[in-house]
């Protein structure tokens, strides 16, 4: 095999954020060797790669297949033994995580910018996942970044493009390339966790109906195979099922704003029992009932409280974890069950150690991410199947399941307000200003609240002792409420300020308020403390979830 050593010059902006390297597609297209530099930096930091297996795939967005051809040639030149590649270049993030674990790969490269829009004007991204199937922790991404600052050459095998459309095996030099069905291993795993027989018979009887919106992204083929073909959900149960390079011009973000087609169905006449959507790369989920939205924080708590009803979790949970800004609804379930509950920084990589050490079974984030120890990523379709299994097992509506949960544990009113694409300096200034005030907060009265704790969240990993500081300002209030401020690590333009608002309501007669109304006092308080509206001259947040 002929290998070309190509010279290159480093870039200084390849520091991976919360979810890999995410940039405007243009950055990849307009800067020579931008992709090559990053990939070679990763490979250079993996000394044990010779003869090892690497999993490759992406969410099908614009530039996915082209980038894959380059990465294949680089992986061959760098001495990997086997490349496992999803047919048509597709692999959902959770499916890639599963393949890495199942086939004991050294790692995997997933091409995605998740829920960000795609296309020449949209975003592209590269994530590296390690041996346990999870996102590379900072110990890795820091070395990748350091390497990217000094890189001078990359390796490319002289070989033709690989036909990604056909299943099969190719051999180039010492590397075997296998184009595999992206769905079948994942579908097998799901069948092992959930009661497929029972779900099938109830779906076939028509007593329960589901609508799943794949948003023209990667979960289409997964949902068609599992929900329609294996579980017998009626044809048309999966909408927007064909993956497209531009996600049909949409924004593959499963929330009430962007999953329009689904929301119309679920709030219209003849709504199915369960509505769900996933994002670009298939790791997020949104759950809806008839005219009912389940917040991701509540979803995690409900799944934890009902896990014993599902075959894969029949023996109970070892523990649970949530990211710091996620509502504390799941904490109450953990307390009632007498199991530990861990609080981690934002981003799935922090759950990996806890899962590997067997400390937790379920974990989740407020940003529509839920998962378990079955893989090392959040998993959209898994969460949907979990809910479907619950609805089938309890024969209750989604709304009833959630309302019962609130009656038992109390309700955590919760919302996130995003100010997107702020001037980067303003974003930093707002955070600095809050940080500077921290020592003055404790004991201070703010309206009807008193501050009980205020800090910049610093995480000490209970497994390896590593310390991650600066993970967001949290202000805990009495009676039980909380404000959290942090800057996004996945935005590709300026700074995005996220404000997380939470208030606990134990009184069941007050569980039917509109969340924005229930949180109005906290919303005003957040503005009083950070002044984002005044400083940015904006009327309000760009996105409210
Ligand atoms: C966002 C979410 C975070 C999530 C991350 C990756 O990060 O808030 O919870 O882990 O996206 O999700 P940030 O830093 O922008 O708040 V995904 O679906 O892009 O893999
Ligand atoms: Co995603």
């Amino acid at each position: 095999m002929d290998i070309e050593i190509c010279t290159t010059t480093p870039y200084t902006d390849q520091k991976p954020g919360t979810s890999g390297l995410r940039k405007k597609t243009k950055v990849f297209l307009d800067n020579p060797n931008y992709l090559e530099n990053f990939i070679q930096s990763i490979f250079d930091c993996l000394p044990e790669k010779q003869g090892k297996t690497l999993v490759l795939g992406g969410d099908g967005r614009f530039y996915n297949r082209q980038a894959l051809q380059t990465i294949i040639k680089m992986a061959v030149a760098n001495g990997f033994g086997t490349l496992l590649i999803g047919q048509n270049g597709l692999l959902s993030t959770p499916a890639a995580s599963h393949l890495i674990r199942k086939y004991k790969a050294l790692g995997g490269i997933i091409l995605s910018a998740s829920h960000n829009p795609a296309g020449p004007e949209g975003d592209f991204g590269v994530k590296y996942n390690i041996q346990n199937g999870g996102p590379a922790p900072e110990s890795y991404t820091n070395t990748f970044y350091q390497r990217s600052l000094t890189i001078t050459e990359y390796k490319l095998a002289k070989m033709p493009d690989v036909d990604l459309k056909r299943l099969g095996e190719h051999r180039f030099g010492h590397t075997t390339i296998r184009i595999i069905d992206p769905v079948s291993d994942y579908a097998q795993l799901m069948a092992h966790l959930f009661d497929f027989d029972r779900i099938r018979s109830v779906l076939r009887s028509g007593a329960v109906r589901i609508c799943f919106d794949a948003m023209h992204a990667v979960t289409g083929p997964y949902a068609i195979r599992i929900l329609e073909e294996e579980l017998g959900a009626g044809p048309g149960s999966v909408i927007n099922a064909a993956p497209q390079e531009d996600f049909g011009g949409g924004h593959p973000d499963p929330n009430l704003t962007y999953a329009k087609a689904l929301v119309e169905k679920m709030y219209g006449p003849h709504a199915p029992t369960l509505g769900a959507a996933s994002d670009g790369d298939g790791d997020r989920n949104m759950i809806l009932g008839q005219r009912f939205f389940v917040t991701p924080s509540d979803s995690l708590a409900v799944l934890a409280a009902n896990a014993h009803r599902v075959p894969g979790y029949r023996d109970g949970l070892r523990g649970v974890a949530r990211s710091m800004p996620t509502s504390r609804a799941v904490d109450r379930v953990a307390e009632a069950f007498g199991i530990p509950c861990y609080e981690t920084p934002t981003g799935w990589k922090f759950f990996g150690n806890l899962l590997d050490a067997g400390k937790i079974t379920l974990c989740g984030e407020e940003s529509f991410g839920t998962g378990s120890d079955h893989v090392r990523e959040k998993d959209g379709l898994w969460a949907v199947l979990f809910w479907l299994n619950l609805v089938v097992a309890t024969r209750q509506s989604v709304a009833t399941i959630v309302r019962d949960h609130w009656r038992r544990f109390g309700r955590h009113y919760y919302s996130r307000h995003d100010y997107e694409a702020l001037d980067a300096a303003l974003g930093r200034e707002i955070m600095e200003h809050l940080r500077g005030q921290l020592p003055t907060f404790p004991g201070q009265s703010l309206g009807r609240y008193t501050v009980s704790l205020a800090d910049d969240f610093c995480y000490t990993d209970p497994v390896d002792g590593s310390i991650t500081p600066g993970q967001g300002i949290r202000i805990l209030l009495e009676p039980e409420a909380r404000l959290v401020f942090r800057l996004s690590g996945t935005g590709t333009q300026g700074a995005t300020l996220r404000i997380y608002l939470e208030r606990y309501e134990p009184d069941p007669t007050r569980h039917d308020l509109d969340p924005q109304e229930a949180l109005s006092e906290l919303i005003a308080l957040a503005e009083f403390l950070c002044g984002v509206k005044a400083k940015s001259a904006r009327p309000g947040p760009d996105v409210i979830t």
Side-chain angles (χ1 to χ4, degrees):
M1 167 72 30
D2 254 4
I3 290 168
E4 201 178 339
I5 310 282
C6 311
T7 56
T8 186
T9 45
Y11 295 96
T12 54
D13 65 342
Q14 298 198 328
K15 192 170 176 55
T18 327
S19 188
L21 181 69
R22 200 175 287 186
K23 298 280 174 193
K24 291 269 159 223
T25 312
K26 271 205 173 81
V27 174
F28 284 89
L29 296 178
D30 294 351
N31 294 299
N33 306 331
Y34 196 83
L35 175 73
E36 289 84 343
N37 275 18
F38 188 63
I39 299 295
Q40 189 65 51
S41 299
I42 296 174
F43 290 166
D44 285 349
C45 297
L46 303 173
E48 68 282 41
K49 61 189 171 288
Q50 299 303 318
K52 292 284 168 62
T53 299
L54 184 70
V55 171
L56 296 175
D59 63 12
R61 70 178 60 220
F62 175 77
Y63 192 53
N64 185 113
R65 277 180 291 247
Q66 199 183 331
L68 256 186
Q69 295 293 353
T70 302
I71 296 172
I72 291 169
K73 290 169 193 167
M74 293 183 66
V76 170
N78 277 276
F80 281 94
T82 305
L83 305 182
L84 295 180
I85 308 173
Q87 188 179 24
N88 294 317
L90 295 180
L91 279 181
S92 78
T93 289
S97 180
H98 177 52
L99 288 170
I100 294 170
R101 296 165 64 75
K102 182 167 178 178
Y103 296 103
K104 303 200 164 29
L106 177 66
I109 292 174
I110 304 167
L111 302 176
S112 173
S114 191
H115 53 288
N116 297 20
E121 303 303 322
D123 293 345
F124 190 75
V126 184
K127 309 190 268 187
Y128 181 73
N129 282 32
I130 59 171
Q131 255 176 82
N132 74 350
E138 270 159 40
S139 54
Y140 280 76
T141 54
N142 286 339
T143 59
F144 299 162
Y145 176 56
Q146 288 309 322
R147 179 64 191 154
S148 76
L149 296 174
T150 57
I151 191 162
T152 55
E153 54 185 44
Y154 66 91
K155 292 182 192 158
L156 202 61
K158 286 189 177 161
M159 55 182 268
D161 279 0
V162 174
D163 182 358
L164 298 171
K165 291 201 194 77
R166 261 185 326 135
L167 297 175
E169 209 167 282
H170 313 265
R171 202 162 163 85
F172 294 98
H174 298 293
T175 311
T176 303
I177 297 179
R178 281 172 54 205
I179 308 298
I180 60 172
D181 173 27
V183 180
S184 53
D185 292 286
Y186 178 81
Q188 260 176 39
L189 177 65
M190 293 301 116
H192 174 77
L193 294 173
F194 301 109
D195 195 345
F196 270 31
D197 290 337
R198 191 160 175 195
I199 297 174
R200 192 179 295 117
S201 71
V202 175
L203 282 178
R204 285 209 174 129
S205 75
V208 164
R209 287 183 302 127
I210 183 172
C211 177
F212 179 88
D213 189 345
M215 305 189 85
H216 291 300
V218 77
T219 47
Y222 293 85
I224 291 277
R225 177 92 58 88
I226 296 172
L227 294 174
E228 292 194 8
E229 292 172 13
E230 289 192 19
L231 293 173
S237 297
V238 181
I239 58 173
N240 300 320
Q244 288 175 20
E245 284 206 330
D246 66 347
F247 303 128
H251 202 130
D253 195 352
N255 60 37
L256 294 175
T257 310
Y258 294 123
K260 252 208 213 99
L262 175 71
V263 171
E264 268 164 28
K265 262 200 165 74
M266 298 308 295
Y267 283 77
H270 316 297
T273 328
L274 176 65
S278 192
D279 70 333
D281 62 328
D283 56 359
R284 297 187 175 203
N285 73 89
M286 175 171 70
I287 301 293
L288 300 173
Q290 289 151 336
R291 301 186 159 274
F292 194 88
F293 166 69
V294 186
T295 71
S297 296
D298 278 346
S299 176
L300 174 63
V302 168
L303 297 189
N306 292 281
H308 58 279
R309 300 180 196 274
V310 167
Y313 307 93
R314 190 172 286 136
D315 298 336
L317 308 176
R318 291 169 187 250
V320 292
R322 60 164 172 82
S323 68
M324 184 274 280
T326 302
S327 104
R328 295 169 293 178
V330 72
D331 301 34
R332 294 206 128 76
V333 177
E335 204 185 347
F337 287 12
I339 56 173
C341 176
Y342 298 87
E343 183 174 42
T344 62
T346 294
W348 211 260
K349 57 194 170 198
F350 295 97
F351 295 133
N353 274 353
L354 298 170
L355 291 163
D356 286 349
K359 288 184 178 296
I360 58 168
T361 311
L362 292 190
C363 46
E365 295 189 283
E366 47 65 41
S367 53
F368 299 87
T370 336
S372 89
D373 57 0
H374 70 291
V375 289
R376 292 294 180 272
E377 287 277 6
K378 54 186 181 273
D379 190 342
L381 208 44
W382 167 89
V384 175
L385 289 166
F386 205 137
W387 269 96
L388 182 58
N389 203 149
L390 279 189
V391 166
V392 162
T394 59
R395 286 305 188 93
Q396 283 177 332
S397 72
V398 170
T400 304
I401 293 174
V402 176
R403 285 185 204 286
D404 282 354
H405 185 92
W406 291 339
R407 247 191 304 279
R408 189 170 162 204
F409 296 98
R411 177 170 184 186
H412 286 253
Y413 281 105
Y414 185 82
S415 183
R416 185 176 101 182
H417 288 194
D418 293 335
Y419 290 82
E420 295 182 335
L422 293 171
D423 178 63
L426 176 62
R428 279 194 300 273
E429 184 207 305
I430 288 175
M431 291 306 286
E432 274 318 308
H433 173 69
L434 283 167
R435 228 169 257 132
Q437 288 176 280
L438 279 176
T440 68
F441 284 142
Q444 199 176 313
S445 307
L446 297 167
R448 70 184 181 99
Y449 294 105
T450 309
V451 179
S452 55
L453 183 150
D455 68 358
D456 189 353
F457 181 59
C458 175
Y459 180 62
T460 305
D461 188 305
V463 180
D464 64 18
S466 60
I467 291 173
T468 314
Q471 294 302 302
I473 304 288
R474 53 174 187 172
I475 301 173
L476 272 63
L477 305 167
E478 284 297 334
E480 193 175 336
R482 196 174 62 147
L483 293 173
V484 173
F485 302 84
R486 62 177 281 280
L487 294 179
S488 157
T490 60
T492 55
Q493 213 181 339
T496 292
L497 177 70
R498 303 201 196 286
I499 304 176
Y500 308 79
L501 309 134
E502 177 183 5
R503 172 165 94 71
Y504 179 60
E505 178 55 75
D507 179 358
T509 65
R510 301 184 53 81
H511 284 172
D512 277 315
L513 306 179
D514 169 73
Q516 299 307 314
E517 263 164 43
L519 295 166
S520 58
E521 206 177 336
L522 290 168
I523 294 168
L525 208 50
E527 175 61 18
F528 169 72
L529 294 175
C530 81
V532 60
K533 282 204 280 188
K535 290 176 186 166
S536 64
R538 294 190 189 190
D542 301 280
V543 183
I544 295 181
T545 40

